[in-house]
Amino acid sequence: MAARSGKRSARSTARKHRAIQRQIARADRHAAASTPRAMQAGARLYPEPPMPAQHLAKPGQEAAIDPRPMYDAPFYRGSGKLHDRVALITGGDSGIGRAVAVLFAREGADVAIVYLSEHADAEVTKKAVESEGRRCIAISGDVAKRRFCEAAVKRTVQELGRLDVLVNNAAFQLHTNEIEDLTDKHFDTTLQTNLYGMFYLCRAAIPHLRKGSAIINTGSVTGIHGSRHLLDYSLTKGGIHAFTRSLAGHLIDRGIRVNTVAPGPVWTPLNPADKEAEDVSEFGAKTPMGRPAQPEEIAPAYVFLASPQCSSYITGEILPIIGGY
């Protein structure tokens, strides 16, 4: 009797398992038939892949990108977090640098932007900062050159009166499919721009910084996870992360905080000036959020790390903003 009862119970349980299995199969078919959407959690909708296929000649003009990167953050309201401070931002003509310059100005800072040769883009950034009611100077040159970095810091202090925040954001990135294709010239250019430039600017700026000042470096998800096609770039970004932690400890006694923002894929001129056109069309699609960030989604992190009201107890940190990885 007990044996028959046990068999009936087992058959009932098996039927229940199959019913659950059928329910999940129906859900799987429904999910496969539906089109996955990128995550939209911001104040406005952001572009989703596929993007128009495009490739830019270096250094890459923001005005040439389709769709244009979104940097002006119209729903962001300033509250004086950087009132009357002065910031020097490299790579400030476009992308993350432009968005940071605009939000810094909205928070009350005057801004010096450093850029290579993208004069039209730099003028757009300058006007955007000035439209926020703050002063802006644009300085063209190569951060890989020590003398230029020293001159850029000197000009910032002379024309804007002081220096409180240094943002090392300029970078060179170009992929290689095989390590044999990574020439000495290519490797040197990446290290000189991304590492030497940061070092030169920090060394020149620190004597002008005071207690409560901040240095913010732009790292990358590639400095955390690596990238098989960006050997040299990933090396420099990992180096930036390590330098950040080391310099933070070095400057503790001076009351100067040092942190890094490490973005994932961001829609800026950097990547269309690196990747082939078809690869650009799917840029950011493999993130859990299913799309690249827009510069205005990254810039508030720089405000947070620059402001002593927001992050006075934060130094030596790497802040990843990588779309859910």
Side-chain angles (χ1 to χ4, degrees), residues 1-321:
M1 186 74 177
R4 287 197 297 271
S5 176
K7 289 180 180 178
R8 285 196 299 270
S9 176
R11 288 194 295 270
S12 175
T13 297
R15 286 193 297 271
K16 180 173 69 174
H17 289 182
R18 288 191 292 272
I20 294 171
Q21 183 184 42
R22 288 192 295 271
Q23 181 265 322
I24 294 300
R26 288 193 297 270
D28 287 346
R29 288 193 295 272
H30 176 75
S34 64
T35 302
R37 298 284 297 175
M39 183 178 178
Q40 297 285 353
R44 56 179 175 166
L45 293 177
Y46 295 111
E48 304 174 4
M51 305 293 201
Q54 56 202 291
H55 179 72
L56 304 181
K58 280 193 172 297
Q61 300 283 337
E62 180 147 322
I65 302 178
D66 180 25
R68 296 284 179 85
M70 299 163 76
Y71 68 88
D72 56 334
F75 297 100
Y76 182 100
R77 298 290 178 261
S79 58
K81 296 181 184 69
L82 300 173
H83 179 65
D84 283 346
R85 294 193 168 230
V86 172
L88 172 60
I89 303 169
T90 69
D93 58 296
S94 62
I96 293 172
R98 178 188 288 179
V100 170
V102 170
L103 291 198
F104 276 15
R106 199 168 298 170
E107 291 290 359
D110 294 326
V111 179
I113 60 168
V114 168
Y115 67 101
L116 187 60
S117 60
E118 308 90 326
H119 305 299
D121 282 348
E123 186 61 25
V124 171
T125 302
K126 185 174 185 292
K127 289 180 178 178
V129 168
E130 291 171 344
S131 73
E132 300 290 342
R134 304 305 304 190
R135 295 178 293 168
C136 183
I137 60 173
I139 307 170
S140 174
D142 183 1
V143 298
K145 307 299 183 183
R146 174 182 59 81
R147 289 183 179 177
F148 169 73
C149 292
E150 293 169 351
V153 170
K154 183 177 180 180
R155 182 178 168 190
T156 299
V157 173
Q158 287 178 339
E159 296 192 26
L160 299 180
R162 56 190 286 173
L163 181 59
D164 303 284
V165 182
L166 171 64
V167 177
N168 289 301
N169 174 66
F172 178 84
Q173 172 189 313
L174 190 63
H175 73 277
T176 52
N177 290 321
E178 305 293 342
I179 191 170
E180 292 87 348
D181 299 327
L182 183 56
T183 65
D184 292 358
K185 182 178 180 180
H186 181 164
F187 188 80
D188 288 345
T189 298
T190 307
L191 268 66
Q192 288 165 0
T193 303
N194 301 0
L195 290 180
Y196 280 59
M198 174 188 62
F199 169 69
Y200 291 150
L201 282 156
C202 285
R203 189 172 62 182
I206 284 168
H208 300 280
L209 301 178
R210 63 200 79 189
K211 188 175 182 179
S213 295
I215 297 172
I216 308 169
N217 302 315
T218 299
S220 171
V221 64
T222 66
I224 301 171
H225 297 308
S227 172
R228 59 177 294 189
H229 297 306
L230 295 172
L231 300 175
D232 53 326
Y233 181 81
S234 301
L235 180 157
T236 63
K237 292 302 180 174
I240 287 169
H241 297 176
F243 184 75
T244 294
R245 291 195 165 107
S246 300
L247 187 62
H250 183 74
L251 295 178
I252 283 280
D253 292 342
R254 302 196 202 186
I256 300 168
R257 296 177 298 105
V258 187
N259 293 287
T260 282
V261 177
V266 186
W267 189 243
T268 76
L270 189 69
N271 286 283
D274 171 14
K275 300 177 182 297
E276 297 302 322
E278 291 305 318
D279 293 331
V280 170
S281 70
E282 293 301 316
F283 181 62
K286 293 182 179 179
T287 66
M289 285 194 175
R291 61 175 179 84
Q294 290 293 321
E296 70 177 35
E297 296 182 276
I298 306 298
Y302 289 78
V303 173
F304 170 74
L305 292 173
S307 169
Q309 298 95 316
C310 296
S311 55
S312 60
Y313 199 65
I314 298 176
T315 194
E317 296 293 345
I318 313 302
L319 176 58
I321 308 178

